[in-house]
Amino acid sequence: NSRLFGKNVIIKGSEIGVTSKDLSFVLLEKVEISNLKVGFTAFQKKPEFGPGNIEISDLEIYDTEVPFLIEKGSTMISENKKIEANNEKVEDILYGNVFGKSSK
């Protein structure tokens, strides 16, 4: 249930750029991301919480394998347009399974 607000954000050379999960909300303006595996991901990890939400304006994205990994039920809006959900269970491919690192 976190809130993150940012402006003039640059993310380079990372596994995952921005994640919102479990009722967290991310609002970013003027964002540049490059050389990432996953640009943005929004999902629900814990059943007692809700989905993740991301809203971005003025986005530039380069050399990113998977720009958006959005779970059904979570939301991402970029340039006032909804990014369609493209995964049923994002957690299953994060945490070292396909992307990211295991926390175990």
Side-chain angles (χ1 to χ4, degrees):
N1 201 16
S2 301
R3 301 288 180 257
L4 172 68
F5 304 95
K7 188 173 183 176
N8 298 317
V9 176
I10 298 172
I11 302 170
K12 294 181 181 181
S14 177
E15 185 82 11
I16 300 169
V18 175
T19 298
S20 177
K21 66 179 181 176
D22 295 341
L23 287 178
S24 292
F25 177 73
V26 175
L27 177 63
L28 301 175
E29 182 181 338
K30 197 165 191 244
V31 178
E32 179 184 320
I33 65 170
S34 61
N35 194 26
L36 281 82
K37 297 284 187 172
V38 178
F40 298 90
T41 182
F43 64 103
Q44 180 175 338
K45 182 178 179 186
K46 297 180 180 175
E48 62 268 24
F49 296 113
N53 300 283
I54 301 173
E55 193 168 325
I56 306 290
S57 63
D58 196 6
L59 171 64
E60 294 182 37
I61 188 167
Y62 309 100
D63 301 320
T64 298
E65 191 175 314
V66 179
F68 309 106
L69 186 56
I70 310 302
E71 186 172 273
K72 289 186 179 181
S74 292
T75 59
M76 175 156 181
I77 298 179
S78 178
E79 311 308 333
N80 294 315
K81 293 181 184 174
K82 182 177 180 184
I83 304 296
E84 293 300 319
N86 57 3
N87 196 282
E88 293 282 335
K89 191 73 173 151
V90 168
E91 181 184 8
D92 290 348
I93 61 175
L94 295 180
Y95 302 103
N97 294 319
V98 176
F99 299 109
K101 294 180 181 169
S102 176
S103 58
K104 295 178 183 177

